[in-house]
Amino acid sequence: MKRVKTAVVGLRRGATLAKFALNYVKSIEIVAVCDLNRELADKFALENGIPAVYYELDEVLKTDVEAVILATPIPDHAEHTIKTLNAGKHLLCEVISATSIEDCQRIANACKANPSVRYMMEENYCWYRPLTIVQNMIKAGLFGDMYYGESDYLMDFQFRAGFPDSVQPWRRKTYFGRRGHPYITHTLGPLCYTLGSDIKTVTCLGAGSHPGVPADRTCVLLLQTHDGGMIRLRNSFMCTRPDLYTYYSVQGTKGCYQGSVGATDTHKVHIRGLCGSQEWRDVYDFRGLLPKEWDMYPKDFFDDSEDNGTTKYDSGTPLLLDAFAKSIISNTTPPVSAKRSLNWTAAGILSEMSINNSGQPVEIPDFGL
Ligand SMILES: NC(=O)c1ccc[n+]([C@@H]2O[C@H](COP(=O)([O-])OP(=O)(O)OC[C@H]3O[C@@H](n4cnc5c(N)ncnc54)[C@H](O)[C@@H]3O)[C@@H](O)[C@H]2O)c1
């Protein structure tokens, strides 16, 4: 079987991705790792038997690797993406694609200039296990026509002594340095992926202030999809409560999925015809609908009862890595295409324009893709 020769660049989050690939993904061969931090790169390569080590992305781009998995800080994504695509390397880039509309357009232009090169954003939450079951229930027609989705992503960075200065400078700038909420692809992406439509307009309002932090404590976004559907998101990095990373709900004409909001909750579905009018069923009653790709994990790997909306966001990440590699091998568009990656990223970026105009809807550009 063909395996895609891949380098992983940025070995904090990238180490997790590399280990997933090494342990589970047959379609990827990790041939090199790279980090500016030489000690980190050397240690990872030694411990995991990686044949080549580099200390700067530019060095990787001079080699014969076919693909790069990029997990560098968000403000560097646009420059790193453009040089990687122009070097003819397929790219899986961590979230989010870019931090300005101009950079989204430059990435789109680089994709167009290199049509045989694949670009995909690493929006792993699209493969979140309960949501994957729901996606297959939708495909089987159990939910009817889909028209609504909602998601919450609530975390608390305030507990860190010295906040906001205690946060890495790039995170401080990206998450807290402006109004609106650019980091929305974990909430938005999986909903678009599940509902099957991307974003036409974004509206954003916010509330709560923290000294020295331009961002609101919480933002609510209302987004209209191209097919007339609607999405509601609440995002916060300054929210005093237990974390919630993976709350999703989707609504169709025949049924609804309501995800877990914490330790005592469950993932549940109501399907008219299969449930009484006020009855919920556990989504895992339908686990037989998980695609066979999930067999890449060892049997009994998952304890679904532990999945409570906070910790299992990486449950399907190896499947994403496999889907990226298979799109290269089969020369097909990756499931999170460049067009979708930039649409979801741009919706977050433009939430700033909406919030600064008292919640006026803002149209998402199509970037010519
Ligand atoms: N999808 C997810 O669930 C998820 C989870 C965590 C982080 N992330 C994303 O992963 C990315 C990285 O996050 P992080 O927390 O690991 O950041 P980090 O700042 O902790 O680590 C980034 C690493 O990249 C290295 N690096 C920077 N520039 C480089 C270059 N030119 N060449 C080689 N190495 C370079 C740095 O030395 C550092 O080790 C971000 O985009 C973040 O949003 C995604």
Side-chain angles (χ1 to χ4, degrees), residues 275-292:
C275 306
S277 67
Q278 301 304 313
E279 189 193 356
W280 293 103
R281 280 179 64 177
D282 195 308
V283 78
Y284 290 111
D285 290 353
F286 298 86
R287 64 157 64 74
L289 287 172
L290 279 169
K292 65 172 176 31

Side-chain angles (χ1 to χ4, degrees), residues 209-228:
S209 57
H210 188 289
V213 176
D216 296 76
R217 281 178 195 266
T218 201
C219 285
V220 171
L221 289 83
L222 293 178
L223 304 109
Q224 202 82 61
T225 58
H226 286 296
D227 67 356

